[in-house]
Every structure is written in C-alpha cells, then in structure tokens.
Amino acid sequence: MTIRIATFNMENLFRRPTVFRLENPADREQVLDDFAKLVAILDLPTYSDADKAEIVRIVTKYRASDIDDPKHPNPKGPPPIVINQSRPGKHTGLFDTTRPLKTPADIIATGRGSWTGWAELGQDDLDMSMVRNTGRVVAEVDADILLTVEVEDRLTLERFNTHVLADALGRRPYPYNLLIDGNDPRGIDVGILSRHPITSVRSHLFDTDPDHPADRLFSRDCPEFEIQLDGTPLVILGNHLKSKFRDDPELRLAQARRVTEIYRAAAERTPHVMVAGDLNDDPESDAVAQLLATGLRDVMSHPSYHGEPGTHGQCSRLQDKIDYLLLPPPLWHEVQHVGLETRGIFADGIKSFDTVTSKLTEASDHAALYVDLDL
C-alpha cells in the first residue's frame, strides 16, 4: 500500500492577523513591539500614571478601542491591535467605551485585577482567491495524510476541508482531522488531515524550557498524531519551531532537543515515527543537526528527489529550506518518491498557478513537501 504524507505551512486558512499583511518588515516589527509592550503593561498589578499614558498612546495609535461593526466597517480596515473587554462598563472595564479615549485619566482600571479582558492582535478575512489557491495546493498534492502548519483551529480546518476542498474544488474531503490549540497567542496551530483513522494524540503544550522552568518550551506544540494503518501504527510528530522573527536560536535548539526525546520515546512504541513540519532552520543549523543525529533522514536528500533545494520563498537556495519530513531507517527504505509543490508561491523564479498572480493571492510563501511510502 502506497501512502502519501505531506507537510504544508498554510499561513492561516480564512483569517490572519492584519499586522502580517503589512509589506514593510519594519512596520510589522513596530506593531508587534507595541503589542508586546501593551500586554506587559496590562499585566501589571497596579497602573501608574506613566503606564496609563502608554496604554492610551498604544490604544489610540492602533485604534485598539474601535468597536467592530460589520454593517459600518471602518474604511481603514480592522485595527492591528484590539482591546477585548468582556465587561466594558463604566466601573468594570479598562476604559469607558461610551466616550473617546484621550487622556490617562480615561483609564478607569487601577491594575490587572480591576478589569476583565485582554489585548489581542486584530484579524482580517483573507482574500478568497488566496484561500482557493491554498485549497488548490492541497488538492494537487492529494496526500493521504497532511500535516497542516499555521491553522487557526480545528473547526476552521473542518470548514476548509468541506467548503473549499469539497464544495469549491470538487475534491474528496478528508474524513479525519485533528488539532489542539497551542501556545501561540496569534492562534496559529499544528493540525492534521487524514484519510486514515487518527487513533490518538499526545500533546506537549505544557513542556517547560529547561533553562527557564517558568516558561513553556514549544512556541506552538509538538503533537504526536497516531494514525491507524493496516499494519504498524504510524506516529507523526508535528512541529512549528521558533521563528526567525526576533530570532532565538538557543530556544529553537532546546525545542529540537526535546523533539528528539519525544521521537526516541515514540520509537519504543512503534518503528514508524516521523518528524514533520516547519522547523524554521536550514539543514546546516544546530537545531536540525540535533534531529538528524538520531538517525532520522530528510526526504529531500533521498535519490528520488530532483526538485528545488528550498521550501520557502524562491526555494532556490539551501538556506530557503525550513520545512521537513524526517524519516527513521525503517521508513527510509520504503520511499518511492519525494516531491515539492511550489506553484502556490508567488516569487521570482517560481512558476505559479495561473490563479496566483500576486503576494495577495498566493497560497503561502511555503511549498508543500510530500513523500510516497510503500507501507
């Protein structure tokens, strides 16, 4: 039986934080810096006058106090930062929503314990051309098992499965899908679509950083998805390691070390264990070397692979490779074919789908990587 297994960073399916649609990296970083600053201040037990002034500055700068009104949308679009107040009354919120926020005196909360709510990144609907092109990549790869990276939640994954793959594109929907919400505050998670029963999942959400025991280790999670095949169960360790944005190679290496431990433990239960997903590092990095030291092998190094060296952006350099399917020796010998679907990307040197005409319509800036195994 030939099984096609793939990994694809889909960069969200229907909604994405508006900050990541800004073309200028410096603009994106400024929003994220201010967002991090705002979250840190809002968590303080007591707000000083200077804290309140900074809250007002950030909230007004990013229209974070705007009330969403679908019937009368703001012509500037959704705000990049949103203050979500679950009890926004005159005495139970961060500020009074019945009047404009102008001065520090308008902040009525005295500290974290005096109001209920939080700050979050504002989101906007993706262009449906982009969504269809994401579906087109998935349909063209037609994997039996697809690890999905950067997906909003399980119900969104199901909606994509039924409304886009099945209804819009007329392809077979996947009978099984699973996703556990991870640690990323943006709500981007690691999930799976499968044509074979998913019999169990083990989450590692709560693993802690050995160097910082108070912190969670994984930026998202490292779920162990167990798939029931006709013979030996298949375990896929889904990954989305620390990104290069505000780079922290040591954290990424610590995550990779933990993945190797999870891999070795899973390999004691079944010889068919794969490590898959977006590792956010190239093959010569310390993090990837940590994983390869276990005996796992990258499918793009298999003799059957003849595609581009990278999986991201132009895909033309080894440094562009950040997505992986890593196989243990028992599966390496069963490889029939390895492929890379790049046509969902809009970049120089990439021959895109005819429906991918700009960065606004590309499916993702990642290619979908797949392998055919004789199981």
Side-chain angles (χ1 to χ4, degrees):
M1 177 175 63
T2 300
I3 298 290
R4 176 167 289 186
I5 302 171
T7 181
F8 183 29
N9 185 322
M10 306 168 91
E11 291 198 311
N12 295 79
L13 293 175
F14 292 99
R15 290 178 65 80
R16 186 165 177 80
T18 58
V19 61
F20 294 109
R21 304 183 72 174
L22 296 174
E23 294 185 7
N24 187 335
D27 292 340
R28 292 198 298 270
E29 186 163 359
Q30 183 62 63
V31 176
L32 292 171
D33 282 344
D34 281 340
F35 176 70
K37 186 180 297 184
L38 177 63
V39 169
I41 293 173
L42 293 179
D43 278 343
L44 294 174
T46 303
Y47 301 150
S48 67
D49 289 342
D51 294 332
K52 292 182 177 182
E54 188 64 358
I55 292 171
V56 171
R57 181 190 72 81
I58 296 174
V59 168
T60 54
K61 178 179 179 180
Y62 297 108
R63 300 179 286 121
S65 59
D66 282 6
I67 303 298
D68 183 32
D69 184 356
K71 293 183 179 180
H72 302 91
N74 191 313
K76 295 181 181 179
I81 297 175
V82 174
I83 295 293
N84 192 325
Q85 299 190 70
S86 55
R87 296 180 179 178
K90 292 183 178 180
H91 304 291
T92 55
L94 177 64
F95 51 82
D96 186 353
T97 58
T98 63
R99 64 174 188 264
L101 180 64
K102 294 182 179 180
T103 70
D106 294 323
I107 300 296
I108 56 179
T110 58
R112 178 68 270 187
S114 65
W115 69 288
T116 305
W118 58 89
E120 60 188 32
L121 292 173
Q123 299 199 22
D124 193 9
D125 291 338
L126 295 177
D127 186 284
M128 281 308 296
S129 297
M130 182 184 295
V131 176
R132 291 191 192 94
N133 284 327
T134 300
R136 191 169 176 184
V137 171
V138 174
E140 289 294 327
V141 171
D142 196 23
D144 297 287
I145 302 168
L146 173 64
L147 187 79
T148 63
V149 180
E150 287 203 33
V151 175
E152 294 93 310
D153 52 55
R154 198 196 74 79
L155 292 180
T156 296
L157 188 59
E158 176 62 20
R159 185 155 59 104
F160 173 81
N161 184 35
T162 56
H163 296 347
V164 179
L165 278 182
D167 296 346
L169 297 175
R171 305 302 289 263
R172 285 187 303 158
Y174 286 88
Y176 308 100
N177 72 76
L178 190 59
L179 182 151
I180 296 176
D181 284 336
N183 291 323
D184 197 302
R186 297 170 292 168
I188 54 173
D189 302 309
V190 179
I192 196 165
L193 292 165
S194 178
R195 302 200 188 284
H196 299 272
I198 305 168
T199 55
S200 71
V201 59
R202 297 186 182 197
S203 172
H204 293 275
L205 276 172
F206 306 113
D207 290 8
T208 56
D209 187 337
D211 295 328
H212 306 279
D215 298 334
R216 302 271 166 81
L217 176 60
F218 288 111
S219 308
R220 267 61 67 164
D221 191 4
C222 176
E224 302 179 57
F225 297 110
E226 183 170 313
I227 313 297
Q228 183 61 53
L229 302 177
D230 290 343
T232 306
L234 171 70
V235 173
I236 298 178
L237 308 186
N239 282 273
H240 187 191
L241 301 189
K242 172 68 180 74
S243 74
K244 291 293 185 72
F245 181 74
R246 294 176 182 163
D247 202 9
D248 188 345
E250 290 304 314
L251 174 57
R252 197 160 45 247
L253 179 58
Q255 292 171 344
R257 287 186 179 126
R258 179 61 182 136
V259 175
T260 64
E261 294 174 351
I262 297 168
Y263 162 73
R264 289 192 173 106
E268 294 181 0
R269 305 192 305 271
T270 173
H272 293 173
V273 182
M274 296 178 58
V275 173
D278 180 355
L279 302 185
N280 268 315
D281 231 333
D282 64 71
E284 297 179 348
S285 66
D286 291 340
V288 175
Q290 180 74 35
L291 291 162
L292 296 179
T294 64
L296 287 163
R297 299 176 73 175
D298 175 12
V299 298
M300 287 174 67
S301 68
H302 193 273
S304 66
Y305 181 68
H306 304 289
E308 297 288 346
T311 64
H312 178 260
Q314 297 181 12
C315 302
S316 59
R317 307 173 304 151
L318 191 64
Q319 291 81 4
D320 295 333
K321 176 174 170 53
I322 57 178
D323 302 277
Y324 293 82
L325 293 171
L326 302 180
L327 302 182
L331 292 180
W332 183 259
H333 299 297
E334 306 301 332
V335 173
Q336 305 297 304
H337 175 70
V338 179
L340 190 70
E341 179 54 80
T342 62
R343 290 175 292 175
I345 299 173
F346 184 82
D348 291 340
I350 297 289
K351 184 178 180 181
S352 308
F353 290 130
D354 56 0
T355 50
V356 175
T357 57
S358 70
K359 296 299 289 184
L360 293 177
T361 58
E362 74 173 353
S364 171
D365 59 8
H366 293 251
L369 175 64
Y370 60 92
V371 61
D372 294 336
L373 299 173
D374 184 6
L375 298 179

